Amino acid sequence: MNHLLYFTRKLHAYGGKVLYINLVGMMLVGILDGAGILLLAPLLSVIGIVDIPLASIPGLQLLSTLQDLPKERALLIILALFILLVAAQGIIGRNLSLREIRIHTGFVNQIRLEIYKALLQANWGFFMKKRKTDLINSLTGELARVTNGAFLFLQLIASVAFTIIQIGLALLLSVKMTLFVLCCGLAVAFLSRRFIKQSRVIGSVTTELAQNYLSGITDHFNGMKDIKSNLLESSRYRWLLDWSDKIAHERYENSKVRSNSQLLYKLFSAIMIAAFVFGSVLLFENQGGYLLLIMVIFSRLWPRFTGIQANMEQIASSLPAFKALMELQEDCNAAKELMDVDELGGEHIMPLKLEQQLECRQVYFRYDQRQHTFTLEAINLRIEANSMTAIVGQSGAGKSTLVDLMMGLIKPELGQVLVDGKGLTDAALLSIRRSISYVPQEPFLFHGTIRDNLLMIDPQASEAQMWEAMEFSSAAEFVHKLPQGLNTLIGDRGIRLSGGERQRLVLARAILRKPSILILDEATSALDSLNEARIQEAIERLKGRMTVIVIAHRLTTIRNADQVIVLDNGKIVQAGHFMMLAEDKKGLFSSLLGNQLQVAL
């Protein structure tokens, strides 16, 4: 419930005066609705169906003069007043509904933007601990449930406002009868508490099932090639079949709770009506004229009680979603590294140009501080500006972790990362990232045109600058051959391009940024020899123009590196020029190089 109160306060902060104006408007609609019902009394009296003394109903004494008019004229006046009240109620209700939609949509968009902003502001360590599909589910499925919960909460406020008005009108007509109805409503609320609790439990199951579904389906499509090549279709189908059984059971239980609550309301309503009529005849026998009017009020008041109860059950089922989004926001805030929304784009941040060297001094790092061993231990290295440095080592040696430290994505537990002799502080973190371009092992391109993918790194880049970057990356050759050139649609993740073409295009995008430091994370490991040679030629053209750091898988591609850093089990075991390390037959580098040459032969 604390999570609902949290979002309620946020709704109050967002809606402000407009929210309360809407609430007052709802009460006005309730008054007009009740006034329309009260006009039924003189209407029934005038046409002679029942005999109701209007003087006993506050505010309606003035209508007693209608009894002196001809029946047809009095009936026309009453019907005209009734139509005017209904029209006024309808117009006000329409405007309130439209404003409610605007408040609701705006509030949901605000929550969505707040959460997405918090995600963007979180550091890399936060994303390393989270499952990607859970974050996607939070911004889609869970947000939709919070959307529904927020809308239901607004409806609940409206229902309460209408109910208060209806109760007030009923009290004017008969205190005893109204109190009888209220006591029955409270009894139903007490009996249905367990339904609210059950709805909340089912809501938690819904959250878990939604996360599992999105995670499983995403893994299936990402691994479709493995599924097809290894004949895993049957096992994947069984997984979805098992999930379908679970979601069917969850939906059934959810419907069962709601059906049971509705059955309770109907049975209790029938019993109450019977007791109500019986009590009215025996206890309130002198108020026979009011009995019909009270029944009309009851027919409108009781659905309000049941509506409020149904809203509360649905809100209870949404509470786990409120909790999930609140906890996500708290986790993001705890891992925040960007303090201002203006920092998200980075356009106003001046890049920190590397003038002398990038340095690590006695750096230690581990992902889990409960572990005794370090991922990186006693790292000391210096990378000169505008030089080319290769980082090599066996799988799991800590190469990518070292690069993440130099980019400031993670922070050392001990030691320092220095840029031109100055520590990589939080203040300098964004500036160093602004000066870095990173090319991953798996090139990522967005669904769109080649132009779109280049402009995302620099929206102000001219076409000439784009072609220049593609010339450097050896991408211009194949782009010129495409029928639509820069406007060619490349598909999801660039699927319409070959692996080498994707890698060269990603490299062009990195170069277009004009970085001070270019980091290539095993960018040629998955390429054939021809494409690898083209990427290598592109890298050679960049030497001396920027600082190039290469995580190398194929050691023969780094012959021209100014220095080679060899990692083993998180420690630097060798450092020097390629040929010097190759000639050291006792060193790890020579062993790795020899193994690769043997495989090649």
Side-chain angles (χ1 to χ4, degrees):
M1 189 58 69
N2 290 335
H3 307 294
L4 179 59
L5 292 176
Y6 169 77
F7 279 92
T8 301
R9 288 193 295 270
K10 292 182 75 69
L11 179 60
H12 161 75
Y14 174 80
K17 294 180 180 178
V18 177
L19 191 63
Y20 295 103
I21 290 173
N22 243 41
L23 183 59
V24 172
M26 292 173 188
M27 296 179 70
L28 177 60
V29 169
I31 292 172
L32 292 175
D33 187 42
I37 296 172
L38 287 179
L39 279 177
L40 292 175
L43 175 62
L44 294 172
S45 180
V46 167
I47 61 179
I49 293 180
V50 294
D51 184 17
I52 301 176
L54 300 179
S56 62
I57 303 178
L60 292 184
Q61 296 89 339
L62 296 176
L63 294 180
S64 60
T65 56
L66 294 174
Q67 294 177 332
D68 300 329
L69 297 175
K71 182 181 296 185
E72 293 78 6
R73 184 180 299 177
L75 183 59
L76 286 175
I77 293 174
I78 291 172
L79 291 175
L81 289 173
F82 180 76
I83 291 172
L84 285 174
L85 284 173
V86 171
Q89 178 200 5
I91 293 171
I92 295 174
R94 168 189 173 277
N95 292 336
L96 291 176
S97 297
L98 293 175
R99 185 177 294 172
E100 181 182 277
I101 292 296
R102 185 178 297 172
I103 294 172
H104 171 250
T105 305
F107 173 67
V108 170
N109 283 337
Q110 184 188 53
I111 297 298
R112 179 186 289 113
L113 291 171
E114 280 185 6
I115 294 173
Y116 192 58
K117 174 187 170 184
L119 286 169
L120 292 174
Q121 290 177 312
N123 58 36
W124 178 241
F126 167 84
F127 293 98
M128 294 176 68
K129 299 173 184 176
K130 296 289 184 180
R131 191 166 59 173
K132 178 178 66 175
T133 51
D134 288 350
L135 300 178
I136 295 173
N137 183 61
S138 294
L139 284 170
T140 53
E142 298 301 274
L143 186 62
R145 292 174 65 196
V146 168
T147 299
N148 185 54
F151 186 69
L152 288 171
F153 184 71
L154 289 175
Q155 286 186 330
L156 182 62
I157 293 175
S159 295
V160 170
F162 282 141
T163 303
I164 291 172
I165 296 297
Q166 299 288 353
I167 291 173
L169 294 171
L171 286 171
L172 289 176
L173 295 173
S174 175
V175 174
K176 293 180 180 179
M177 292 183 181
T178 304
L179 290 177
F180 175 76
V181 175
L182 287 176
C183 289
C184 293
L186 292 174
V188 169
F190 178 79
L191 293 173
S192 59
R193 286 184 307 165
R194 63 188 182 93
F195 296 125
I196 295 176
K197 184 177 180 180
Q198 290 173 356
S199 295
R200 185 169 183 175
V201 172
I202 292 173
S204 298
V205 175
T206 302
T207 295
E208 184 178 353
L209 286 174
Q211 289 177 342
N212 292 340
Y213 177 75
L214 187 59
S215 174
I217 288 296
T218 301
D219 288 344
H220 289 189
F221 287 119
N222 287 339
M224 187 55 72
K225 191 171 184 178
D226 288 337
I227 292 172
K228 301 302 295 182
S229 59
N230 293 294
L231 291 177
L232 299 177
E233 293 91 343
S234 177
S235 66
R236 296 301 88 199
Y237 180 78
R238 286 196 300 272
W239 171 86
L240 187 56
L241 186 63
D242 179 62
W243 182 89
S244 298
D245 290 339
K246 291 178 180 178
I247 195 66
H249 178 72
E250 180 270 335
R251 294 286 172 85
Y252 174 79
E253 291 298 322
N254 191 28
S255 298
K256 184 178 177 182
V257 169
R258 294 188 182 182
S259 298
N260 287 344
S261 64
Q262 291 300 318
L263 177 61
L264 175 67
Y265 300 152
K266 289 180 179 179
L267 290 176
F268 200 88
S269 176
I271 295 171
M272 192 187 75
I273 289 174
F276 178 70
V277 173
F278 182 77
S280 297
V281 173
L282 293 183
L283 303 177
F284 314 121
E285 53 188 30
N286 294 328
Q287 301 185 37
Y290 291 115
L291 179 58
L292 181 59
L293 193 56
I294 288 291
M295 291 296 291
V296 173
I297 291 290
F298 168 77
S299 67
R300 302 177 69 88
L301 185 58
W302 187 250
R304 294 292 179 190
F305 290 145
T306 57
I308 289 173
Q309 186 64 31
N311 280 350
M312 291 178 68
E313 288 177 13
Q314 294 180 60
I315 290 173
S317 68
S318 301
L319 284 179
F322 282 93
K323 179 182 179 182
L325 288 189
M326 186 175 174
E327 290 178 347
L328 175 60
Q329 206 163 10
E330 289 173 351
D331 290 344
C332 289
N333 290 334
K336 182 184 290 187
E337 65 175 2
L338 300 178
M339 296 298 119
D340 193 336
V341 68
D342 293 333
E343 294 176 351
L344 296 181
E347 290 82 3
H348 74 292
I349 299 170
M350 294 300 296
L352 184 63
K353 185 172 178 59
L354 186 66
E355 300 286 353
Q356 300 171 12
Q357 73 269 333
L358 179 63
E359 189 177 358
C360 290
R361 286 184 187 173
Q362 207 63 16
V363 166
Y364 288 77
F365 176 82
R366 55 186 168 181
Y367 289 101
D368 187 351
Q369 295 189 5
R370 294 171 297 183
Q371 295 180 346
H372 296 294
T373 57
F374 285 86
T375 307
L376 292 176
E377 184 175 349
I379 300 296
N380 290 284
L381 65 85
R382 179 180 295 178
I383 298 174
E384 299 296 333
N386 297 325
S387 68
M388 178 179 172
T389 297
I391 302 174
V392 302
Q394 295 177 327
S395 178
K399 303 185 294 294
S400 295
T401 303
L402 179 57
V403 167
D404 289 347
L405 277 167
M406 289 189 285
M407 288 193 294
L409 292 177
I410 54 180
K411 296 180 181 180
E413 186 174 333
L414 298 171
Q416 279 186 303
V417 178
L418 301 100
V419 179
D420 292 337
K422 298 179 180 179
L424 190 56
T425 61
D426 291 339
L429 185 64
L430 300 181
S431 294
I432 190 67
R433 285 194 203 158
R434 190 76 172 86
S435 66
I436 291 176
S437 280
Y438 173 72
V439 180
Q441 180 178 359
E442 294 292 333
F444 183 81
L445 294 167
F446 291 90
H447 180 74
T449 65
I450 293 175
R451 186 189 302 275
D452 294 335
N453 277 275
L454 292 175
L455 289 178
M456 66 171 292
I457 202 71
D458 183 5
Q460 306 303 321
S462 65
E463 189 161 319
Q465 290 172 322
M466 286 187 276
W467 283 111
E468 181 184 5
M470 287 188 291
E471 288 289 348
F472 266 105
S473 70
S474 299
E477 177 187 356
F478 80 83
V479 175
H480 275 302
K481 294 179 181 179
L482 295 172
Q484 294 175 295
L486 286 172
N487 296 318
T488 301
L489 191 67
I490 61 176
D492 186 38
R493 302 176 68 90
I495 196 171
R496 296 184 181 180
L497 303 178
S498 70
E501 290 170 342
R502 289 198 298 270
Q503 196 66 275
R504 280 180 277 165
L505 192 57
V506 170
L507 182 57
R509 188 171 64 189
I511 295 170
L512 184 62
R513 194 176 193 179
K514 296 181 174 60
S516 177
I517 303 171
L518 175 65
I519 297 177
L520 305 172
D521 190 350
E522 299 193 89
T524 64
S525 62
L527 301 181
D528 57 40
S529 57
L530 178 60
N531 280 305
E532 182 184 36
R534 287 171 173 169
I535 294 291
Q536 192 60 38
E537 290 172 4
I539 295 173
E540 288 295 326
R541 285 195 291 270
L542 297 173
K543 283 188 65 176
R545 293 173 174 266
M546 61 187 68
T547 305
V548 180
I549 302 173
V550 180
I551 296 179
H553 175 72
R554 295 178 183 172
L555 303 184
T556 54
T557 63
I558 57 172
R559 290 181 178 276
N560 297 325
D562 295 298
Q563 71 168 333
V564 178
I565 306 295
V566 184
L567 286 175
D568 186 34
N569 292 324
K571 299 178 182 178
I572 296 178
V573 294
Q574 286 180 286
H577 292 288
F578 183 93
M579 291 308 299
M580 181 187 75
L581 298 180
E583 292 172 358
D584 183 4
K585 301 304 181 181
K586 295 182 180 180
L588 177 62
F589 183 79
S590 178
S591 175
L592 293 173
L593 182 60
N595 290 338
Q596 287 195 2
L597 290 176
Q598 288 180 4
V599 172
L601 292 174

